Amino acid sequence: MKQAVFHGQEMWIGIADVASGTIRETHTLEEAKRADFHTCFYFSEESEKKHENKDGIFFWVQDGKVELEYNDLSPYEKTLLETQIKAQVIILDQDESVLRKTMLSERQENNNRDGNRMQIQILYSCNEWKEHSSMKIVCATTNPEVLYALIGESIKAGDMEYGCEDKEKGWELFQQDYGKQQIRLELLQYGFVESMPNLSISDKTSIRNYSEVYLVYTALHNQRAEEILRPLHLDRQCLIYSMADVHSDYGSNQIILSGFGKEEALRASELFEAYESNEDYLELKVEVSTYKVGKGNMRECSKEEARLIEENFQDVINLYETSLLSSAYYETCIERDLEE
């Protein structure tokens, strides 16, 4: 079962503010099981009160996804909360038993062959004393087989030695060790292999031991996002936009529209234009949720501003306060004359 980490602690279930998505308290699967999944036995009194007042909502991590308890949230509100919660946790792609082992001994695990698949292996050429001043990078790879092929090629060419000065005997010994899956890098002369963690910001599991790096990355990313979103002036004005779920016989689409997402806004959208250019008659059912984002005086956003919000939606909801204004439903159709 995929589980998660929040502020360095393993978790399975938690409670978050409905208004902001901020996580207030978390607990492990073991704690929930011991209480027979009755939240009142392991969540704090404050969290229980938040839940009773509908200011807090319970969530849990199931198969790598953030799941919310049943409630009367709109589809968009639910998606917004899930996104806000997921941004605060690190979801781990291991089952429960491997998870604990990995969290406690990741450094040791990374030294074995499976662990090295998550490492960048850097091959250097160097002098026989392996002095740093003599090292030159030959290659960097996350694939052990590529690393061994490059080492083998260097041994065959006589640029590196493996166990002895004779390059033919060294090549033969290297092949034997490779066949046994027992490459001994300590036998390598005039060459040196260094392992470095392969950090991936998109995969938070690989940087959970580098929290400061992630904080700096987040600060830099937010700075860039704020610059991209600067034309919206969300620090001093509140824009109104709508999330429209458009359903037809050919499937569903979700688009962001300017203002309150009325039919005029839908008909002015690129999606509607695409429908109109390909269909002679098409019935559409539209569910619209209207939101405000930012602070200050409110106004309806323009079509261009709606496009900017859509292109940077994740950053918009992470950086600026977003709340629901209204919901609506309407039906419309596309009908055009056939050309003779």
Side-chain angles (χ1 to χ4, degrees):
M1 177 186 293
K2 292 181 181 179
Q3 291 196 36
V5 171
F6 176 66
H7 287 178
Q9 299 295 319
E10 178 186 348
M11 64 147 292
W12 175 71
I13 190 171
I15 189 168
D17 287 343
V18 172
S20 65
T22 303
I23 298 173
R24 295 301 180 187
E25 184 178 342
T26 63
H27 294 275
T28 65
L29 180 60
E30 289 83 356
E31 290 176 283
K33 286 179 177 178
R34 285 198 299 268
D36 197 23
F37 297 96
H38 295 295
T39 57
C40 59
F41 292 137
Y42 57 97
F43 273 93
S44 67
E45 185 177 344
E46 181 184 358
S47 291
E48 285 292 319
K49 285 183 179 178
K50 273 185 169 291
H51 183 256
E52 290 173 9
N53 296 332
K54 296 187 177 180
D55 294 325
I57 186 169
F58 289 125
F59 71 93
W60 58 93
V61 177
Q62 188 78 27
D63 297 327
K65 296 180 180 178
V66 171
E67 301 285 352
L68 299 178
E69 65 176 332
Y70 177 79
N71 50 62
D72 55 0
L73 295 175
S74 70
Y76 181 63
E77 285 179 301
K78 185 172 182 289
T79 300
L80 178 61
L81 262 177
E82 289 172 351
T83 303
Q84 291 170 328
I85 291 170
K86 195 168 184 178
Q88 300 171 70
V89 300
I90 299 172
I91 295 179
L92 303 178
D93 191 12
Q94 292 105 349
D95 62 34
E96 185 180 351
S97 60
V98 175
L99 170 63
R100 184 168 288 99
K101 180 181 179 182
T102 302
M103 290 179 67
L104 295 176
S105 59
E106 184 185 37
R107 188 180 298 275
Q108 179 180 350
E109 287 293 298
N110 280 338
N111 290 330
N112 63 30
R113 186 170 180 177
D114 288 336
N116 284 337
R117 291 174 185 167
M118 295 301 296
Q119 300 278 301
I120 296 177
Q121 308 293 325
I122 305 174
L123 176 63
Y124 298 88
S125 62
C126 59
N127 61 23
E128 60 180 309
W129 299 283
K130 301 187 188 300
E131 293 176 321
H132 284 287
S133 60
S134 70
M135 290 186 180
K136 295 181 180 179
I137 295 178
V138 177
C139 79
T141 179
T142 57
N143 189 326
E145 307 309 317
V146 171
L147 174 70
Y148 297 147
L150 283 162
I151 293 174
E153 190 276 333
S154 297
I155 294 170
K156 286 187 68 177
D159 297 327
M160 295 181 188
E161 297 175 358
Y162 189 78
C164 63
E165 296 180 358
D166 189 302
K167 67 179 182 181
E168 292 184 0
K169 290 182 179 179
W171 167 236
E172 184 178 346
L173 178 59
F174 183 79
Q175 290 182 89
Q176 292 173 357
D177 284 355
Y178 179 85
K180 298 174 185 177
Q181 297 187 4
Q182 295 178 349
I183 296 294
R184 294 170 287 175
L185 292 176
E186 67 272 14
L187 298 182
L188 190 64
Q189 295 295 320
Y190 300 102
F192 178 75
V193 176
E194 181 179 24
S195 295
M196 298 290 291
N198 185 14
L199 300 184
S200 171
I201 297 299
S202 60
D203 177 12
K204 296 179 187 176
T205 63
S206 70
I207 62 165
R208 59 182 177 270
N209 285 339
Y210 300 88
S211 57
E212 292 302 319
V213 173
Y214 186 66
L215 289 175
V216 171
Y217 164 80
T218 301
L220 291 173
H221 177 84
N222 289 348
Q223 183 68 38
R224 183 174 60 184
E226 287 175 0
E227 191 63 33
I228 292 171
L229 297 172
R230 190 178 298 279
L232 299 178
H233 303 296
L234 295 175
D235 57 333
R236 61 177 186 269
Q237 71 173 353
C238 193
L239 295 180
I240 300 173
Y241 71 94
S242 296
M243 180 67 74
D245 291 291
V246 184
H247 308 278
S248 72
D249 292 338
Y250 296 96
S252 301
N253 286 282
Q254 191 175 66
I255 57 173
I256 290 179
L257 301 175
S258 57
F260 284 85
K262 298 177 181 178
E263 187 171 344
E264 306 89 81
L266 177 64
R267 287 184 175 275
S269 69
E270 294 177 359
L271 174 69
F272 201 91
E273 292 171 2
Y275 274 138
E276 201 168 32
S277 64
N278 291 291
E279 301 296 336
D280 299 321
Y281 184 84
L282 186 64
E283 293 182 342
L284 300 175
K285 297 178 180 180
V286 186
E287 298 175 51
V288 179
S289 297
T290 301
Y291 297 84
K292 63 177 182 177
V293 60
K295 57 184 179 180
N297 295 329
M298 286 193 298
R299 70 169 177 83
E300 294 189 8
C301 70
S302 65
K303 184 177 178 180
E304 291 71 26
E305 288 169 332
R307 182 181 291 111
L308 186 58
I309 291 173
E310 186 167 33
E311 291 172 351
N312 302 276
F313 178 70
Q314 184 65 62
D315 291 321
V316 169
I317 63 175
N318 284 343
L319 293 173
Y320 301 98
E321 182 180 348
T322 303
S323 57
L324 179 68
L325 283 178
S326 63
S327 298
Y329 172 84
Y330 59 86
E331 296 183 6
T332 186
C333 67
I334 297 170
E335 187 173 9
R336 63 190 177 99
D337 295 330
L338 291 172
E339 295 181 3
E340 296 183 0

